[in-house]
Amino acid sequence: MTAPVLPASPPRLTSLSHGGGCGCKIAPGVLADLLRQSQLAPQFFPDLLVGSETADDAAVYRLNEHQAIVATTDFFMPIVDDPHDFGRIAATNALSDVYAMGAQPILALAIVGMPINVLPHETIARILAGGESVCRDAGIPLAGGHSIDSVEPIYGLVALGLVDPRQLKRNATAQAGDVLVLGKPLGVGVLSAALKKGLLDDAGYRAMVEATTQLNRPGIELGRLAQVHALTDVTGFGLLGHTLELARAAGLTATIDAARLPWLPGVQALAAQGVVTGASGRNWAAYGPEVELGGYVGTPLQALLTDPQTSGGLLVSCAPEAVDTVMQLFARHGFGQAAVIGQMHEKTANAPFVRVA
């Protein structure tokens, strides 16, 4: 058997994929249509605490009175060219959905699809090593997985966690009067678009990698706080899309204060220059009618609010009296740009689910 013939100079990882990071997600409108068409008859499993009914971050199955298993999977194509960084980002992103349920990760399995005849084996090994390093940092084993020879490079994890069912956090249980806190700055999609176009400097790259490889560990402690009513993470549908899921599931209106949003360095200037992802437009086309942007329609802020976030921050809906505790928790874990960004309100008949002020 002859060895595969590899190109003399390995290609950039991002040149091999038509999208990158959570920008690869199927557009929310298309996904909703696909799910409607594939709906099976409802099945009753009394121990299935969370399924697909509210677009939550993970499935949850009760094992006993004090334990439930949290299960999720997440994978995507390269958002960066450095293979080790790609592996780290993809693994951090996958574990985020466990943290977003208030759970402790316990185990991961790798999902690997690589163009074996295109990428050097050393490059693929570095991707895998990046994912393994994040699992070690999270204190869990990467215990196996599955691999295929694919046209585009794909990497991610199946992630499992444990949670006390009484401390489980969902995206459907926000309450009127709650304050919204965002754990990480926004703008990953814009920075990734700038990278592909050769417009991202070293400082911008470092900021993007630092944000996308920071594990959302505060989710474990947020799960133990009774006054944290709802929790999710901001990923491919952008801040507006994931806030919309939270508000719609609870039947409330979320108001976002645009002036208080935290940004990664340089993203506002890049967006003003038109450096945005195609996923941003697809996101807006899918859920724009349910959002009130006021004077921000057509501005760079619209693109930023719909910007797909890879390994984005936790979005917390908590009682006003718990805000200081939540902010201190984020600060203790090194989330220096965590910010109060809005509030949940009772929804009147003609009010949107999300309003940007």
Side-chain angles (χ1 to χ4, degrees), residues 172-220:
T173 48
Q175 298 181 16
D178 277 1
V179 173
L180 294 175
V181 178
L182 179 63
K184 290 186 184 181
L186 300 163
V188 174
V190 168
L191 294 185
S192 67
L195 177 67
K196 268 199 165 185
K197 295 180 179 181
L199 300 175
L200 189 64
D201 60 19
D202 289 344
Y205 181 82
R206 287 194 301 271
M208 179 175 69
V209 172
E210 182 179 338
T212 53
T213 57
Q214 187 175 23
L215 288 164
N216 278 321
R217 285 191 182 96
I220 300 171

mmCIF file of all heavy atoms in Angstrom, residues 172-220:
data_model
loop_
_atom_site.group_PDB
_atom_site.id
_atom_site.type_symbol
_atom_site.label_atom_id
_atom_site.label_comp_id
_atom_site.label_asym_id
_atom_site.label_seq_id
_atom_site.Cartn_x
_atom_site.Cartn_y
_atom_site.Cartn_z
ATOM 1 N N ALA A 172 -34.901 28.077 29.835
ATOM 2 C CA ALA A 172 -36.333 28.358 29.716
ATOM 3 C C ALA A 172 -36.949 28.906 30.995
ATOM 4 O O ALA A 172 -38.170 29.080 31.056
ATOM 5 C CB ALA A 172 -37.070 27.079 29.309
ATOM 6 N N THR A 173 -36.154 29.188 32.010
ATOM 7 C CA THR A 173 -36.717 29.466 33.326
ATOM 8 C C THR A 173 -36.374 30.861 33.856
ATOM 9 O O THR A 173 -36.388 31.096 35.059
ATOM 10 C CB THR A 173 -36.232 28.399 34.327
ATOM 11 O OG1 THR A 173 -34.809 28.233 34.191
ATOM 12 C CG2 THR A 173 -36.906 27.066 34.073
ATOM 13 N N ALA A 174 -36.076 31.787 32.945
ATOM 14 C CA ALA A 174 -35.856 33.169 33.376
ATOM 15 C C ALA A 174 -37.141 33.739 33.962
ATOM 16 O O ALA A 174 -38.249 33.298 33.634
ATOM 17 C CB ALA A 174 -35.395 34.020 32.194
ATOM 18 N N GLN A 175 -37.000 34.729 34.838
ATOM 19 C CA GLN A 175 -38.155 35.363 35.465
ATOM 20 C C GLN A 175 -38.172 36.860 35.180
ATOM 21 O O GLN A 175 -37.114 37.485 35.011
ATOM 22 C CB GLN A 175 -38.113 35.130 36.978
ATOM 23 C CG GLN A 175 -38.187 33.674 37.385
ATOM 24 C CD GLN A 175 -38.175 33.469 38.890
ATOM 25 O OE1 GLN A 175 -38.402 34.414 39.660
ATOM 26 N NE2 GLN A 175 -37.927 32.251 39.325
ATOM 27 N N ALA A 176 -39.367 37.427 35.122
ATOM 28 C CA ALA A 176 -39.495 38.874 34.942
ATOM 29 C C ALA A 176 -38.774 39.590 36.079
ATOM 30 O O ALA A 176 -38.891 39.199 37.242
ATOM 31 C CB ALA A 176 -40.964 39.270 34.910
ATOM 32 N N GLY A 177 -38.019 40.626 35.739
ATOM 33 C CA GLY A 177 -37.233 41.352 36.725
ATOM 34 C C GLY A 177 -35.794 40.889 36.812
ATOM 35 O O GLY A 177 -34.948 41.567 37.407
ATOM 36 N N ASP A 178 -35.495 39.717 36.221
ATOM 37 C CA ASP A 178 -34.119 39.215 36.230
ATOM 38 C C ASP A 178 -33.177 40.177 35.518
ATOM 39 O O ASP A 178 -33.567 40.881 34.574
ATOM 40 C CB ASP A 178 -34.037 37.854 35.530
ATOM 41 C CG ASP A 178 -34.403 36.694 36.437
ATOM 42 O OD1 ASP A 178 -34.734 36.932 37.616
ATOM 43 O OD2 ASP A 178 -34.369 35.537 35.961
ATOM 44 N N VAL A 179 -31.933 40.158 35.934
ATOM 45 C CA VAL A 179 -30.856 40.906 35.291
ATOM 46 C C VAL A 179 -30.052 39.938 34.433
ATOM 47 O O VAL A 179 -29.834 38.780 34.812
ATOM 48 C CB VAL A 179 -29.956 41.568 36.351
ATOM 49 C CG1 VAL A 179 -28.730 42.220 35.704
ATOM 50 C CG2 VAL A 179 -30.751 42.593 37.144
ATOM 51 N N LEU A 180 -29.615 40.393 33.256
ATOM 52 C CA LEU A 180 -28.806 39.580 32.354
ATOM 53 C C LEU A 180 -27.331 39.923 32.514
ATOM 54 O O LEU A 180 -26.950 41.098 32.452
ATOM 55 C CB LEU A 180 -29.231 39.808 30.902
ATOM 56 C CG LEU A 180 -30.642 39.348 30.523
ATOM 57 C CD1 LEU A 180 -30.955 39.758 29.089
ATOM 58 C CD2 LEU A 180 -30.789 37.840 30.692
ATOM 59 N N VAL A 181 -26.509 38.905 32.712
ATOM 60 C CA VAL A 181 -25.061 39.070 32.837
ATOM 61 C C VAL A 181 -24.395 38.212 31.765
ATOM 62 O O VAL A 181 -24.740 37.036 31.600
ATOM 63 C CB VAL A 181 -24.566 38.649 34.235
ATOM 64 C CG1 VAL A 181 -23.043 38.789 34.325
ATOM 65 C CG2 VAL A 181 -25.248 39.467 35.322
ATOM 66 N N LEU A 182 -23.438 38.793 31.053
ATOM 67 C CA LEU A 182 -22.699 38.086 30.010
ATOM 68 C C LEU A 182 -21.258 37.873 30.471
ATOM 69 O O LEU A 182 -20.592 38.819 30.905
ATOM 70 C CB LEU A 182 -22.724 38.883 28.706
ATOM 71 C CG LEU A 182 -21.966 38.275 27.525
ATOM 72 C CD1 LEU A 182 -22.578 36.942 27.106
ATOM 73 C CD2 LEU A 182 -21.960 39.247 26.340
ATOM 74 N N GLY A 183 -20.763 36.646 30.354
ATOM 75 C CA GLY A 183 -19.474 36.299 30.931
ATOM 76 C C GLY A 183 -18.257 36.640 30.092
ATOM 77 O O GLY A 183 -17.165 36.840 30.627
ATOM 78 N N LYS A 184 -18.387 36.674 28.761
ATOM 79 C CA LYS A 184 -17.241 36.934 27.883
ATOM 80 C C LYS A 184 -17.558 38.067 26.907
ATOM 81 O O LYS A 184 -18.728 38.280 26.555
ATOM 82 C CB LYS A 184 -16.885 35.693 27.070
ATOM 83 C CG LYS A 184 -16.275 34.537 27.827
ATOM 84 C CD LYS A 184 -15.847 33.438 26.847
ATOM 85 C CE LYS A 184 -15.316 32.207 27.540
ATOM 86 N NZ LYS A 184 -14.877 31.160 26.571
ATOM 87 N N PRO A 185 -16.514 38.762 26.423
ATOM 88 C CA PRO A 185 -16.736 39.790 25.398
ATOM 89 C C PRO A 185 -17.134 39.168 24.067
ATOM 90 O O PRO A 185 -16.862 37.992 23.799
ATOM 91 C CB PRO A 185 -15.375 40.493 25.308
ATOM 92 C CG PRO A 185 -14.388 39.469 25.765
ATOM 93 C CD PRO A 185 -15.100 38.664 26.822
ATOM 94 N N LEU A 186 -17.755 39.972 23.228
ATOM 95 C CA LEU A 186 -18.284 39.536 21.940
ATOM 96 C C LEU A 186 -17.333 39.902 20.793
ATOM 97 O O LEU A 186 -16.484 40.773 20.933
ATOM 98 C CB LEU A 186 -19.643 40.198 21.698
ATOM 99 C CG LEU A 186 -20.736 39.907 22.725
ATOM 100 C CD1 LEU A 186 -21.864 40.927 22.593
ATOM 101 C CD2 LEU A 186 -21.273 38.488 22.542
ATOM 102 N N GLY A 187 -17.533 39.244 19.641
ATOM 103 C CA GLY A 187 -16.801 39.628 18.444
ATOM 104 C C GLY A 187 -15.940 38.552 17.835
ATOM 105 O O GLY A 187 -15.150 38.826 16.926
ATOM 106 N N VAL A 188 -16.075 37.295 18.282
ATOM 107 C CA VAL A 188 -15.223 36.224 17.776
ATOM 108 C C VAL A 188 -15.399 36.033 16.270
ATOM 109 O O VAL A 188 -14.420 35.843 15.534
ATOM 110 C CB VAL A 188 -15.514 34.906 18.519
ATOM 111 C CG1 VAL A 188 -14.734 33.750 17.890
ATOM 112 C CG2 VAL A 188 -15.167 35.036 19.989
ATOM 113 N N GLY A 189 -16.628 36.081 15.792
ATOM 114 C CA GLY A 189 -16.863 35.882 14.365
ATOM 115 C C GLY A 189 -16.189 36.940 13.515
ATOM 116 O O GLY A 189 -15.614 36.653 12.456
ATOM 117 N N VAL A 190 -16.263 38.183 13.959
ATOM 118 C CA VAL A 190 -15.621 39.282 13.231
ATOM 119 C C VAL A 190 -14.107 39.078 13.191
ATOM 120 O O VAL A 190 -13.460 39.248 12.147
ATOM 121 C CB VAL A 190 -15.974 40.634 13.874
ATOM 122 C CG1 VAL A 190 -15.092 41.754 13.326
ATOM 123 C CG2 VAL A 190 -17.441 40.969 13.628
ATOM 124 N N LEU A 191 -13.502 38.705 14.317
ATOM 125 C CA LEU A 191 -12.058 38.484 14.347
ATOM 126 C C LEU A 191 -11.662 37.303 13.467
ATOM 127 O O LEU A 191 -10.621 37.337 12.800
ATOM 128 C CB LEU A 191 -11.578 38.263 15.776
ATOM 129 C CG LEU A 191 -11.699 39.464 16.722
ATOM 130 C CD1 LEU A 191 -11.062 39.136 18.075
ATOM 131 C CD2 LEU A 191 -11.059 40.712 16.143
ATOM 132 N N SER A 192 -12.488 36.263 13.436
ATOM 133 C CA SER A 192 -12.171 35.117 12.577
ATOM 134 C C SER A 192 -12.277 35.504 11.103
ATOM 135 O O SER A 192 -11.482 35.039 10.275
ATOM 136 C CB SER A 192 -13.081 33.930 12.894
ATOM 137 O OG SER A 192 -14.428 34.194 12.542
ATOM 138 N N ALA A 193 -13.249 36.363 10.767
ATOM 139 C CA ALA A 193 -13.360 36.848 9.388
ATOM 140 C C ALA A 193 -12.148 37.695 9.017
ATOM 141 O O ALA A 193 -11.611 37.601 7.902
ATOM 142 C CB ALA A 193 -14.640 37.654 9.217
ATOM 143 N N ALA A 194 -11.675 38.508 9.956
ATOM 144 C CA ALA A 194 -10.489 39.323 9.719
ATOM 145 C C ALA A 194 -9.261 38.441 9.519
ATOM 146 O O ALA A 194 -8.390 38.732 8.676
ATOM 147 C CB ALA A 194 -10.277 40.282 10.882
ATOM 148 N N LEU A 195 -9.175 37.354 10.284
ATOM 149 C CA LEU A 195 -8.051 36.429 10.134
ATOM 150 C C LEU A 195 -8.022 35.825 8.732
ATOM 151 O O LEU A 195 -6.967 35.763 8.089
ATOM 152 C CB LEU A 195 -8.157 35.318 11.188
ATOM 153 C CG LEU A 195 -7.100 34.220 11.118
ATOM 154 C CD1 LEU A 195 -5.722 34.779 11.460
ATOM 155 C CD2 LEU A 195 -7.449 33.072 12.058
ATOM 156 N N LYS A 196 -9.174 35.389 8.251
ATOM 157 C CA LYS A 196 -9.244 34.793 6.919
ATOM 158 C C LYS A 196 -8.824 35.784 5.840
ATOM 159 O O LYS A 196 -8.270 35.411 4.811
ATOM 160 C CB LYS A 196 -10.662 34.284 6.648
ATOM 161 C CG LYS A 196 -10.893 32.830 7.012
ATOM 162 C CD LYS A 196 -12.108 32.277 6.312
ATOM 163 C CE LYS A 196 -12.110 30.760 6.383
ATOM 164 N NZ LYS A 196 -13.218 30.158 5.621
ATOM 165 N N LYS A 197 -9.088 37.072 6.069
ATOM 166 C CA LYS A 197 -8.765 38.102 5.078
ATOM 167 C C LYS A 197 -7.377 38.700 5.288
ATOM 168 O O LYS A 197 -7.000 39.642 4.582
ATOM 169 C CB LYS A 197 -9.824 39.216 5.132
ATOM 170 C CG LYS A 197 -11.214 38.739 4.725
ATOM 171 C CD LYS A 197 -12.230 39.870 4.805
ATOM 172 C CE LYS A 197 -13.615 39.382 4.373
ATOM 173 N NZ LYS A 197 -14.634 40.462 4.412
ATOM 174 N N GLY A 198 -6.625 38.187 6.256
ATOM 175 C CA GLY A 198 -5.288 38.699 6.516
ATOM 176 C C GLY A 198 -5.276 40.062 7.172
ATOM 177 O O GLY A 198 -4.299 40.806 7.060
ATOM 178 N N LEU A 199 -6.356 40.406 7.901
ATOM 179 C CA LEU A 199 -6.486 41.730 8.515
ATOM 180 C C LEU A 199 -6.333 41.707 10.034
ATOM 181 O O LEU A 199 -6.454 42.756 10.664
ATOM 182 C CB LEU A 199 -7.859 42.334 8.163
ATOM 183 C CG LEU A 199 -8.150 42.542 6.673
ATOM 184 C CD1 LEU A 199 -9.588 43.019 6.481
ATOM 185 C CD2 LEU A 199 -7.167 43.532 6.064
ATOM 186 N N LEU A 200 -6.063 40.538 10.600
ATOM 187 C CA LEU A 200 -5.997 40.436 12.056
ATOM 188 C C LEU A 200 -4.541 40.461 12.518
ATOM 189 O O LEU A 200 -3.722 39.642 12.082
ATOM 190 C CB LEU A 200 -6.665 39.134 12.519
ATOM 191 C CG LEU A 200 -6.876 38.977 14.022
ATOM 192 C CD1 LEU A 200 -7.833 40.033 14.543
ATOM 193 C CD2 LEU A 200 -7.388 37.576 14.358
ATOM 194 N N ASP A 201 -4.221 41.413 13.401
ATOM 195 C CA ASP A 201 -2.853 41.494 13.907
ATOM 196 C C ASP A 201 -2.629 40.485 15.029
ATOM 197 O O ASP A 201 -3.550 39.791 15.473
ATOM 198 C CB ASP A 201 -2.510 42.917 14.360
ATOM 199 C CG ASP A 201 -3.411 43.433 15.485
ATOM 200 O OD1 ASP A 201 -4.063 42.608 16.169
ATOM 201 O OD2 ASP A 201 -3.466 44.665 15.683
ATOM 202 N N ASP A 202 -1.376 40.396 15.501
ATOM 203 C CA ASP A 202 -1.031 39.403 16.522
ATOM 204 C C ASP A 202 -1.819 39.612 17.810
ATOM 205 O O ASP A 202 -2.248 38.650 18.450
ATOM 206 C CB ASP A 202 0.466 39.453 16.820
ATOM 207 C CG ASP A 202 1.299 38.899 15.681
ATOM 208 O OD1 ASP A 202 0.731 38.216 14.813
ATOM 209 O OD2 ASP A 202 2.524 39.159 15.654
ATOM 210 N N ALA A 203 -2.015 40.877 18.194
ATOM 211 C CA ALA A 203 -2.744 41.163 19.429
ATOM 212 C C ALA A 203 -4.196 40.710 19.305
ATOM 213 O O ALA A 203 -4.768 40.144 20.252
ATOM 214 C CB ALA A 203 -2.685 42.647 19.758
ATOM 215 N N GLY A 204 -4.804 40.942 18.157
ATOM 216 C CA GLY A 204 -6.178 40.507 17.938
ATOM 217 C C GLY A 204 -6.303 38.998 17.944
ATOM 218 O O GLY A 204 -7.265 38.435 18.492
ATOM 219 N N TYR A 205 -5.318 38.327 17.360
ATOM 220 C CA TYR A 205 -5.340 36.861 17.356
ATOM 221 C C TYR A 205 -5.225 36.317 18.770
ATOM 222 O O TYR A 205 -5.964 35.407 19.162
ATOM 223 C CB TYR A 205 -4.202 36.324 16.484
ATOM 224 C CG TYR A 205 -4.163 34.816 16.413
ATOM 225 C CD1 TYR A 205 -4.989 34.126 15.529
ATOM 226 C CD2 TYR A 205 -3.331 34.077 17.248
ATOM 227 C CE1 TYR A 205 -4.977 32.742 15.472
ATOM 228 C CE2 TYR A 205 -3.315 32.693 17.200
ATOM 229 C CZ TYR A 205 -4.137 32.026 16.308
ATOM 230 O OH TYR A 205 -4.141 30.661 16.256
ATOM 231 N N ARG A 206 -4.284 36.884 19.540
ATOM 232 C CA ARG A 206 -4.114 36.413 20.921
ATOM 233 C C ARG A 206 -5.379 36.623 21.736
ATOM 234 O O ARG A 206 -5.769 35.763 22.537
ATOM 235 C CB ARG A 206 -2.938 37.133 21.580
ATOM 236 C CG ARG A 206 -1.570 36.681 21.070
ATOM 237 C CD ARG A 206 -0.458 37.169 21.989
ATOM 238 N NE ARG A 206 -0.443 38.627 22.100
ATOM 239 C CZ ARG A 206 0.231 39.431 21.287
ATOM 240 N NH1 ARG A 206 0.933 38.931 20.277
ATOM 241 N NH2 ARG A 206 0.223 40.750 21.475
ATOM 242 N N ALA A 207 -6.048 37.771 21.538
ATOM 243 C CA ALA A 207 -7.283 38.048 22.278
ATOM 244 C C ALA A 207 -8.374 37.048 21.911
ATOM 245 O O ALA A 207 -9.128 36.567 22.776
ATOM 246 C CB ALA A 207 -7.745 39.475 22.002
ATOM 247 N N MET A 208 -8.462 36.710 20.613
ATOM 248 C CA MET A 208 -9.477 35.756 20.178
ATOM 249 C C MET A 208 -9.221 34.373 20.761
ATOM 250 O O MET A 208 -10.139 33.718 21.269
ATOM 251 C CB MET A 208 -9.504 35.684 18.650
ATOM 252 C CG MET A 208 -10.518 34.699 18.095
ATOM 253 S SD MET A 208 -10.655 34.715 16.290
ATOM 254 C CE MET A 208 -9.077 34.018 15.824
ATOM 255 N N VAL A 209 -7.967 33.913 20.709
ATOM 256 C CA VAL A 209 -7.651 32.581 21.225
ATOM 257 C C VAL A 209 -7.829 32.534 22.742
ATOM 258 O O VAL A 209 -8.351 31.557 23.288
ATOM 259 C CB VAL A 209 -6.225 32.173 20.821
ATOM 260 C CG1 VAL A 209 -5.816 30.881 21.518
ATOM 261 C CG2 VAL A 209 -6.131 32.004 19.310
ATOM 262 N N GLU A 210 -7.426 33.593 23.425
ATOM 263 C CA GLU A 210 -7.590 33.616 24.885
ATOM 264 C C GLU A 210 -9.056 33.513 25.274
ATOM 265 O O GLU A 210 -9.411 32.776 26.205
ATOM 266 C CB GLU A 210 -6.992 34.910 25.447
ATOM 267 C CG GLU A 210 -7.077 35.009 26.962
ATOM 268 C CD GLU A 210 -6.458 36.282 27.514
ATOM 269 O OE1 GLU A 210 -5.613 36.891 26.832
ATOM 270 O OE2 GLU A 210 -6.827 36.670 28.644
ATOM 271 N N ALA A 211 -9.926 34.232 24.567
ATOM 272 C CA ALA A 211 -11.360 34.192 24.891
ATOM 273 C C ALA A 211 -11.959 32.829 24.579
ATOM 274 O O ALA A 211 -12.751 32.286 25.360
ATOM 275 C CB ALA A 211 -12.095 35.285 24.118
ATOM 276 N N THR A 212 -11.603 32.263 23.434
ATOM 277 C CA THR A 212 -12.250 31.024 22.991
ATOM 278 C C THR A 212 -11.688 29.776 23.660
ATOM 279 O O THR A 212 -12.265 28.689 23.505
ATOM 280 C CB THR A 212 -12.133 30.872 21.463
ATOM 281 O OG1 THR A 212 -10.762 30.994 21.070
ATOM 282 C CG2 THR A 212 -12.960 31.933 20.754
ATOM 283 N N THR A 213 -10.583 29.903 24.396
ATOM 284 C CA THR A 213 -10.041 28.745 25.109
ATOM 285 C C THR A 213 -10.208 28.878 26.624
ATOM 286 O O THR A 213 -9.658 28.076 27.380
ATOM 287 C CB THR A 213 -8.546 28.537 24.776
ATOM 288 O OG1 THR A 213 -7.812 29.723 25.092
ATOM 289 C CG2 THR A 213 -8.366 28.195 23.310
ATOM 290 N N GLN A 214 -10.962 29.863 27.066
ATOM 291 C CA GLN A 214 -11.233 30.031 28.497
ATOM 292 C C GLN A 214 -12.457 29.201 28.863
ATOM 293 O O GLN A 214 -13.576 29.476 28.408
ATOM 294 C CB GLN A 214 -11.461 31.505 28.831
ATOM 295 C CG GLN A 214 -11.585 31.782 30.316
ATOM 296 C CD GLN A 214 -11.691 33.266 30.624
ATOM 297 O OE1 GLN A 214 -12.087 34.074 29.784
ATOM 298 N NE2 GLN A 214 -11.325 33.646 31.841
ATOM 299 N N LEU A 215 -12.255 28.175 29.652
ATOM 300 C CA LEU A 215 -13.348 27.284 30.041
ATOM 301 C C LEU A 215 -14.388 28.027 30.874
ATOM 302 O O LEU A 215 -14.042 28.789 31.779
ATOM 303 C CB LEU A 215 -12.799 26.108 30.853
ATOM 304 C CG LEU A 215 -12.005 25.060 30.065
ATOM 305 C CD1 LEU A 215 -11.198 24.176 31.010
ATOM 306 C CD2 LEU A 215 -12.938 24.207 29.207
ATOM 307 N N ASN A 216 -15.657 27.774 30.588
ATOM 308 C CA ASN A 216 -16.758 28.433 31.305
ATOM 309 C C ASN A 216 -17.036 27.757 32.652
ATOM 310 O O ASN A 216 -18.179 27.453 33.004
ATOM 311 C CB ASN A 216 -18.019 28.453 30.445
ATOM 312 C CG ASN A 216 -18.014 29.598 29.447
ATOM 313 O OD1 ASN A 216 -17.574 30.701 29.770
ATOM 314 N ND2 ASN A 216 -18.502 29.344 28.239
ATOM 315 N N ARG A 217 -15.971 27.575 33.435
ATOM 316 C CA ARG A 217 -16.096 26.916 34.741
ATOM 317 C C ARG A 217 -17.081 27.582 35.700
ATOM 318 O O ARG A 217 -17.640 26.898 36.568
ATOM 319 C CB ARG A 217 -14.727 26.865 35.423
ATOM 320 C CG ARG A 217 -13.769 25.831 34.867
ATOM 321 C CD ARG A 217 -12.576 25.691 35.790
ATOM 322 N NE ARG A 217 -11.596 24.747 35.308
ATOM 323 C CZ ARG A 217 -10.513 25.075 34.612
ATOM 324 N NH1 ARG A 217 -10.292 26.340 34.300
ATOM 325 N NH2 ARG A 217 -9.657 24.144 34.216
ATOM 326 N N PRO A 218 -17.293 28.909 35.626
ATOM 327 C CA PRO A 218 -18.267 29.504 36.553
ATOM 328 C C PRO A 218 -19.643 28.848 36.504
ATOM 329 O O PRO A 218 -20.408 28.940 37.461
ATOM 330 C CB PRO A 218 -18.334 30.964 36.096
ATOM 331 C CG PRO A 218 -16.983 31.235 35.525
ATOM 332 C CD PRO A 218 -16.608 29.951 34.832
ATOM 333 N N GLY A 219 -19.956 28.152 35.414
ATOM 334 C CA GLY A 219 -21.256 27.510 35.309
ATOM 335 C C GLY A 219 -21.538 26.523 36.424
ATOM 336 O O GLY A 219 -22.689 26.370 36.862
ATOM 337 N N ILE A 220 -20.503 25.849 36.914
ATOM 338 C CA ILE A 220 -20.699 24.871 38.000
ATOM 339 C C ILE A 220 -21.220 25.569 39.249
ATOM 340 O O ILE A 220 -22.188 25.126 39.885
ATOM 341 C CB ILE A 220 -19.377 24.142 38.304
ATOM 342 C CG1 ILE A 220 -18.880 23.398 37.062
ATOM 343 C CG2 ILE A 220 -19.569 23.165 39.462
ATOM 344 C CD1 ILE A 220 -17.476 22.842 37.213
#
